[in-house]
Amino acid sequence: MPELSEEDLTAVSSLRAAVMRLSRRLRHQRVDESLSPTEMAVLGTLCRCGSSTPGELARKEHVQPPSMTRIVAMLEAKGLVRREPHPQDRRQIVVTQTEQAEAILEESRRRRNAWLAELAGNLTEDEWRTLRDAAPVLEKLAEL
């Protein structure tokens, strides 16, 4: 890790705390209370990245493969994913989200976007500009 100035360390600490508080508040805007945040994250990954094997999902979600196997089984029992044979490797399966999952994700995004837009309505034009400029940087951090 590079040597950070005191000012940079303060900024990192402030960013961490703000992102955590905002994330916690966004989680409260859930559409389906029966889905855990982890289950929603897996559905979101399937939406963003397309069908995946449980191993690929485990890597993307930073969980152990046995945990992902349990998550996929729960999502399948709820009718939110389908497990299909892998097209090249019959020893594996591919997990695909269902239309029901897509509808839940869309409504969740709509609700969370509306909530966040309402909050952001309190920002000044300069703050909005800063937020628009920061969004790609925050996205990059989230993907690293």
Side-chain angles (χ1 to χ4, degrees):
M1 185 168 121
E3 191 73 26
L4 296 177
S5 69
E6 199 59 40
E7 181 181 16
D8 288 344
L9 288 171
T10 300
V12 165
S13 180
S14 179
L15 177 63
R16 176 198 47 77
V19 167
M20 289 180 70
R21 281 193 320 271
L22 188 57
S23 176
R24 204 171 320 142
R25 292 179 68 194
L26 274 167
R27 276 195 300 271
H28 290 302
Q29 304 301 313
R30 292 172 42 190
V31 171
D32 187 333
E33 294 293 325
S34 71
L35 294 175
S36 72
T38 302
E39 290 171 322
M40 285 295 290
V42 169
L43 292 177
T45 296
L46 286 170
C47 180
R48 269 189 322 281
C49 302
S51 299
S52 299
T53 66
E56 291 167 337
L57 284 170
R59 278 189 297 283
K60 290 173 184 171
E61 290 300 316
H62 306 285
V63 300
Q64 294 299 312
S67 296
M68 185 55 67
T69 298
R70 285 190 297 278
I71 294 165
V72 167
M74 288 187 290
L75 290 170
E76 184 179 33
K78 294 174 182 179
L80 300 175
V81 299
R82 287 186 307 278
R83 295 167 10 126
E84 301 165 338
H86 192 284
Q88 286 84 34
D89 184 351
R90 293 293 178 188
R91 297 170 297 171
Q92 294 195 54
I93 63 160
V94 174
V95 180
T96 305
Q97 70 179 6
T98 64
E99 288 181 9
Q100 182 183 353
E102 291 173 24
I104 288 170
L105 286 170
E106 182 58 37
E107 177 59 20
S108 178
R109 278 188 217 101
R110 187 201 61 73
R111 182 180 290 181
R112 290 174 186 196
N113 285 348
W115 177 83
L116 198 51
E118 185 177 327
L119 272 185
N122 296 313
L123 299 176
T124 67
E125 185 53 42
D126 285 344
E127 290 168 331
W128 252 116
R129 189 175 310 106
T130 300
L131 187 59
R132 282 191 300 271
D133 290 344
V137 177
L138 292 171
E139 183 71 29
K140 181 178 180 178
L141 286 175
E143 297 300 322
L144 291 177

